[in-house]
C-alpha cells in the first residue's frame, strides 16, 4: 500500500486515539461513558514503552511488534482483561486493544506491512 500524506495520516491517527474512545465508551457504557472514555484515553500510557526505543520517536517505524506493549503477547493480556467482570477493567482492555488497532491503522497508512513485524 502506498503511504498517505503525513497530514492525513496524523489527523486520522490522533483522532482515533483521542476521539474514538469516547464514541466506543458511549456505545458500550452509556451510564459511565465519560469515565470509560477517560479510562480508555488513559490507556495511551502503554506508549511508555516507546521510551525503550532508540530513537524514542521514529515517524517511519511501525510500533506494532517493535515495542513490548505493542506485541501479540500484550494483545493476549489485553483480551484476557475482558474476562474481569468490571466495566472499568473492560474499558482498560478495550482501550488497549483500540490503541493497538489505531497503531495498526497508522502502520497501514504509513505504507507498512501490518503483520510483517507484529511478533
Amino acid at each position: 500500500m502506498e503511504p498517505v500524506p503525513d497530514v492525513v495520516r496524523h489527523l486520522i491517527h490522533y483522532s482515533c486515539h483521542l476521539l474514538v474512545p469516547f464514541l466506543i465508551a458511549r456505545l458500550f457504557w452509556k451510564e459511565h461513558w465519560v469515565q470509560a472514555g477517560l479510562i480508555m484515553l488513559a490507556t495511551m500510557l502503554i506508549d511508555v514503552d516507546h521510551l525503550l526505543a532508540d530513537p524514542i520517536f521514529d515517524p517511519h517505524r511501525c510500533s506494532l511488534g517493535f515495542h513490548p506493549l505493542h506485541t501479540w503477547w500484550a494483545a493476549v493480556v489485553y483480551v484476557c482483561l475482558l474476562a474481569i467482570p468490571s466495566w472499568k477493567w473492560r474499558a482498560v482492555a478495550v482501550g488497549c486493544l483500540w490503541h493497538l488497532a489505531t497503531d495498526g491503522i497508522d502502520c497501514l497508512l504509513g505504507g507498512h506491512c501490518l503483520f510483517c513485524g507484529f511478533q
Side-chain angles (χ1 to χ4, degrees), residues 8-116:
V8 174
R9 179 179 166 202
H10 294 311
L11 180 66
I12 292 170
H13 182 76
Y14 290 107
S15 295
C16 285
H17 271 317
L18 301 173
L19 300 176
V20 174
F22 289 98
L23 297 174
I24 295 171
R26 185 79 170 138
L27 182 65
F28 289 108
W29 299 285
K30 291 184 185 352
E31 292 180 25
H32 308 286
W33 76 272
V34 174
Q35 297 96 321
L38 291 171
I39 289 170
M40 291 177 65
L41 198 61
T43 62
M44 285 183 40
L45 288 172
I46 69 172
D47 276 342
V48 72
D49 63 359
H50 290 243
L51 297 174
L52 300 172
D54 185 27
I56 291 173
F57 177 74
D58 180 353
H60 304 292
R61 177 174 58 219
C62 180
S63 62
L64 296 182
F66 186 84
H67 302 292
L69 298 176
H70 293 72
T71 61
W72 281 110
W73 299 108
V76 168
V77 172
Y78 306 148
V79 168
C80 289
L81 289 176
L82 291 170
I84 299 173
S86 162
W87 70 266
K88 292 177 184 178
W89 279 107
R90 289 184 177 153
V92 169
V94 171
C96 289
L97 292 168
W98 177 248
H99 183 100
L100 294 181
T102 297
D103 285 358
I105 292 166
D106 188 56
C107 291
L108 288 173
L109 295 177
H112 295 278
C113 172
L114 186 58
F115 296 106
C116 295

